[in-house]
Amino acid sequence: MKRIPLSIVFLCLASWLGAQKLEVKEVWASGYARSVLYADEYFNDSASDSTTAAKLMSGHTLVDLGINIKPSDKVFVQGMLRVRNDHGGFWGSGVTFDVRNLYLRGLIGNSFRYQLGDINYKLTPYTLFNSDEELSRYEPKVFQLMREMTRYDLFYNDDNSWRQQGATGEFGLTFKKYVDGVDFSFFTSRLNSAASTGLLDRLHSGGSVFVKQSDLLDFRLTYIDAFDILGTSSATNRYSNPVLTGGIGIHKQIQDWRLDLETEFGTSQEEKKVGESSAERQDYFSDIRFKMRYAPYNLSLSVAYQDVGAGFRSIGAQTKRLNFSNVPLAYQRIGDGQNLRPFGMLDIIRDASLYNTALSTSLMSYDPAYGNFRPYGASTPNRRNLILSANWEDKKGMAEIQVTGISGSEIQGQGTESIKQFNVVDAGMMIHMDKILDMKKEWLFNFGYSSEKTQRFGEADYEDIDLSNQVLSAGMEVEFIKDFQFLAGFRLMVSKGNEYLARKDLVGEVITFTPYEVDMQQDMFALGVRYNFSERSLINFQWTNYSYQDQLNLNDDHRLTDLSLIYRMNF
């Protein structure tokens, strides 16, 4: 975030309003506030660890204050300032001021909508899409509050949009016959600034056209490109990544059955030059999904086929949230040797420093133990998948069940002609015990299980791969007094086997493959009590126990307990 004094923000807003000579019709404040206190305790059964501090306290208090200005019915301006005080600062020495939001949006001629400044934008899962981070499915509610705070700080929204700085516009046309309507949407943003980085200015621009022929048929065309502007600096490095996709949707209601066919096909090009090295790639993808829903039973069934070429590149869709090259802030080094502590499930939900907010022109590194099948989301290259899924919800809201099965493979081998095979089983269930027992207070239980298997067989020993990942989750939330909730949750993660990780040069060409072995188990258990002042504010107190065990590197074994007190308010 940008560090700009609050006075400058309000001065800019006032200057703009003065220049527009508009009478301000509405001004109001909105925002977000929280206070967080963590009391961590470190345990290690190794007698050799006499260096690591046993206890660590951290926390902060922050307020995001937004000033909303509506000069007219067609113009809206927001500036939001963050004031943060990390616990332990003395006489204000730990206080920071940042501008969190600054944008203007409006309407021209009752048809053209625009936004300038900070924007949140997404297109399709193959063009511009902020895929969820690892271990985020079927998460017990007792762990969700920490993750929600982390996502909020990083602008990770539920709609999987990317936060950028630039401009958006959209408008639509309607017709009396042949076509119901056409919607246009486009954006542009700047990824690199030559003035601050010494690199060429880099823009990221694109948009989509959606044609609705009728309730039965629609079409979509999407184009996006990340490209450098030559001449903006003396740098010789260059990058471009145009992606063009198109799709068709067919929808039909037959009595109680709702049938939907959604498709997307496309191609990508990538040109990359770093120093004397350069590379060019061009490839394709196809995605076909058929879904049917039977309304009387609230039952949905779907089948999907994906084919993503090994050279398909789309930085807006393949950039990861988690940066596996980072290290955790809490207990960063452990043991007498002060080795870097590997981050795990507890760090993922509460440590924002592990995450990434900028689009990456390279496929980011990942840890196969946390997900080897689709580390870059739906647009993971070199994958051919068949996906079957079923969702059912009781008509009275007593239970919900989701089941997904995936059979996938590589399209071409990596370092060998043999290809990897992937098998994934994913299931989740939510039980509303209060509705089953006809109770007035809410009692919810949720369960989740995921199993991922990677295998490759060949004549040589180096071709053999056998990696198994499993995650088990269980949680409960019980309202025992009005607005008071008791929360409990457990997660177990087990990874065992071997893989080979590609090492690449600066332009993404594979140099060699590094053997990877894992025999690791993590588990996390938490108990908490929460009081909800309203739907927008709460206070949460909980105890969390986290354990990390690595059979291949016993020096990494450790356990952390955490007492946390969190107050959060939206206004």
Side-chain angles (χ1 to χ4, degrees):
M1 290 186 291
K2 309 167 284 296
R3 297 182 181 274
I4 303 175
L6 178 62
S7 58
I8 295 180
V9 177
F10 289 107
L11 181 61
C12 292
L13 293 177
S15 300
W16 182 88
L17 291 172
Q20 297 298 311
K21 297 182 180 180
L22 293 173
E23 179 182 355
V24 177
K25 290 189 174 183
E26 295 181 51
V27 178
W28 70 97
S30 62
Y32 169 96
R34 72 169 183 249
S35 184
V36 179
L37 178 63
Y38 294 130
D40 296 337
E41 189 166 3
Y42 168 81
F43 299 90
N44 191 331
D45 294 334
S46 174
S48 63
D49 188 357
S50 59
T51 303
T52 310
K55 296 183 179 181
L56 178 67
M57 295 192 69
S58 61
H60 61 268
T61 298
L62 66 80
V63 176
D64 292 338
L65 179 60
I67 302 300
N68 306 278
I69 304 173
K70 195 173 182 181
S72 70
D73 292 337
K74 296 183 179 181
V75 179
F76 173 81
V77 184
Q78 185 188 79
M80 179 174 285
L81 175 79
R82 165 166 289 191
V83 182
R84 173 170 172 149
N85 182 21
D86 288 323
H87 295 169
F90 184 72
W91 292 103
S93 62
V95 177
T96 58
F97 296 86
D98 299 302
V99 175
R100 178 173 170 86
N101 275 342
L102 189 59
Y103 66 86
L104 178 153
R105 69 169 181 247
L107 181 66
I108 299 177
N110 293 322
S111 59
F112 183 82
R113 296 183 181 276
Y114 65 91
Q115 181 165 326
L116 307 173
D118 294 325
I119 60 174
N120 296 309
Y121 202 81
K122 77 164 186 176
L123 290 169
T124 74
Y126 297 90
T127 51
L128 185 62
F129 194 85
N130 189 356
S131 298
D132 291 341
E133 66 273 26
E134 288 80 350
L135 302 180
S136 59
R137 285 176 60 80
Y138 308 126
E139 186 168 59
K141 189 173 182 178
V142 71
F143 303 129
Q144 290 178 10
L145 180 59
M146 294 183 186
R147 188 185 296 273
E148 287 171 3
M149 294 191 303
T150 300
R151 286 182 169 182
Y152 172 81
D153 288 347
L154 298 164
F155 305 101
Y156 292 164
N157 300 314
D158 292 339
D159 64 355
N160 297 103
S161 59
W162 277 108
R163 164 58 66 95
Q164 301 180 83
Q165 288 184 312
T168 68
E170 58 182 44
F171 64 95
L173 303 173
T174 58
F175 301 88
K176 292 184 178 180
K177 56 182 180 179
Y178 304 123
V179 176
D180 286 352
V182 182
D183 293 326
F184 299 86
S185 175
F186 58 88
F187 84 102
T188 187
S189 64
R190 186 163 72 165
L191 302 183
N192 280 351
S193 169
S196 59
T197 65
L199 303 174
L200 295 171
D201 267 350
R202 179 172 299 156
L203 298 184
H204 196 216
S205 306
S208 67
V209 180
F210 179 77
V211 180
K212 183 179 179 182
Q213 192 274 329
S214 64
D215 291 337
L216 175 66
L217 183 65
D218 55 62
F219 307 89
R220 180 185 295 274
L221 183 67
T222 304
Y223 178 80
I224 192 169
D225 190 8
F227 57 95
D228 291 336
I229 302 178
L230 300 179
T232 52
S233 82
S234 59
T236 59
N237 297 347
R238 298 194 308 272
Y239 186 81
S240 68
N241 179 212
V243 183
L244 176 65
T245 80
I248 183 173
I250 301 175
H251 317 279
K252 181 68 174 178
Q253 186 76 38
I254 303 177
Q255 296 181 349
D256 293 329
W257 287 93
R258 170 72 179 185
L259 307 178
D260 296 281
L261 176 67
E262 298 282 355
T263 66
E264 187 176 6
F265 307 91
T267 63
S268 74
Q269 290 182 320
E270 183 185 50
E271 295 182 10
K272 191 172 188 179
K273 183 178 184 299
V274 180
E276 299 299 323
S277 301
S278 63
E280 295 185 10
R281 299 177 185 86
Q282 181 174 349
D283 221 319
Y284 71 95
F285 80 90
S286 59
D287 189 315
I288 304 171
R289 297 174 181 271
F290 176 71
K291 180 179 179 180
M292 52 186 178
R293 176 177 174 79
Y294 187 57
Y297 290 165
N298 284 337
L299 175 66
S300 297
L301 303 172
S302 67
V303 57
Y305 173 78
Q306 291 178 306
D307 198 320
V308 186
F312 179 79
R313 295 292 185 271
S314 177
I315 67 170
Q318 293 172 337
T319 297
K320 293 177 60 62
R321 289 184 175 182
L322 267 175
N323 188 341
F324 283 89
S325 300
N326 290 347
V327 294
L329 289 178
Y331 289 103
Q332 191 172 99
R333 294 183 178 273
I334 59 174
D336 281 350
Q338 290 296 280
N339 301 316
L340 290 172
R341 179 174 71 87
F343 72 74
M345 291 193 294
L346 179 60
D347 305 291
I348 287 175
I349 64 175
R350 71 174 190 175
D351 190 345
S353 71
L354 301 177
Y355 288 83
N356 167 62
T357 56
L359 299 184
S360 173
T361 58
S362 301
L363 291 177
M364 298 171 61
S365 61
Y366 67 97
D367 189 336
Y370 291 85
N372 197 42
F373 167 54
R374 290 199 300 191
Y376 306 104
S379 59
T380 298
N382 199 23
R383 295 291 188 269
R384 179 173 290 141
N385 311 314
L386 180 65
I387 305 171
L388 303 175
S389 63
N391 299 318
W392 172 79
E393 181 178 351
D394 179 73
K395 297 177 69 172
K396 296 183 178 180
M398 297 180 181
E400 305 163 26
I401 299 176
Q402 302 176 6
V403 180
T404 301
I406 305 175
S407 177
S409 70
E410 292 182 319
I411 297 175
Q412 67 182 44
Q414 300 291 296
T416 173
E417 293 184 358
S418 301
I419 61 174
K420 300 174 188 176
Q421 303 290 334
F422 305 94
N423 289 286
V424 179
V425 175
D426 186 88
M429 178 170 60
M430 175 76 77
I431 299 176
H432 298 257
M433 191 61 68
D434 53 320
K435 295 182 179 181
I436 295 176
L437 301 179
D438 195 21
M439 299 188 305
K440 295 182 178 180
K441 294 182 174 60
E442 192 174 59
W443 285 45
L444 299 179
F445 297 85
N446 72 287
F447 306 92
Y449 175 74
S450 177
S451 173
E452 179 187 275
K453 188 77 170 177
T454 304
Q455 290 182 309
R456 186 177 72 185
F457 304 101
E459 296 180 358
D461 291 342
Y462 71 86
E463 294 180 295
D464 292 340
I465 290 176
D466 191 356
L467 176 64
S468 175
N469 299 325
Q470 298 183 79
V471 179
L472 176 67
S473 304
M476 64 179 292
E477 46 191 289
V478 175
E479 185 181 20
F480 56 95
I481 302 176
K482 181 175 173 55
D483 296 325
F484 277 96
Q485 289 180 307
F486 171 75
L487 306 173
F490 173 76
R491 299 202 91 173
L492 173 66
M493 172 185 169
V494 179
S495 182
K496 185 175 182 178
N498 75 298
E499 240 287 19
Y500 285 90
L501 300 180
R503 290 183 55 193
K504 301 179 181 179
D505 61 16
L506 294 176
V507 294
E509 297 291 346
V510 176
I511 302 173
T512 185
F513 294 89
T514 303
Y516 171 92
E517 291 190 31
V518 63
D519 189 356
M520 175 264 292
Q521 175 178 310
Q522 300 181 49
D523 61 75
M524 187 163 60
F525 175 71
L527 298 172
V529 178
R530 178 175 301 177
Y531 178 71
N532 298 287
F533 297 98
S534 67
E535 292 183 357
R536 301 175 63 85
S537 63
L538 58 85
I539 188 169
N540 189 90
F541 176 76
Q542 76 181 54
W543 171 81
T544 305
N545 182 82
Y546 166 71
S547 175
Y548 183 102
Q549 295 177 305
D550 189 340
Q551 298 299 321
L552 301 180
N553 189 355
L554 299 180
N555 290 329
D556 286 342
D557 288 2
H558 62 278
R559 183 167 68 90
L560 296 176
T561 63
D562 169 58
L563 280 174
S564 64
L565 180 63
I566 301 172
Y567 173 80
R568 189 205 66 192
M569 176 177 65
N570 291 281
F571 60 92

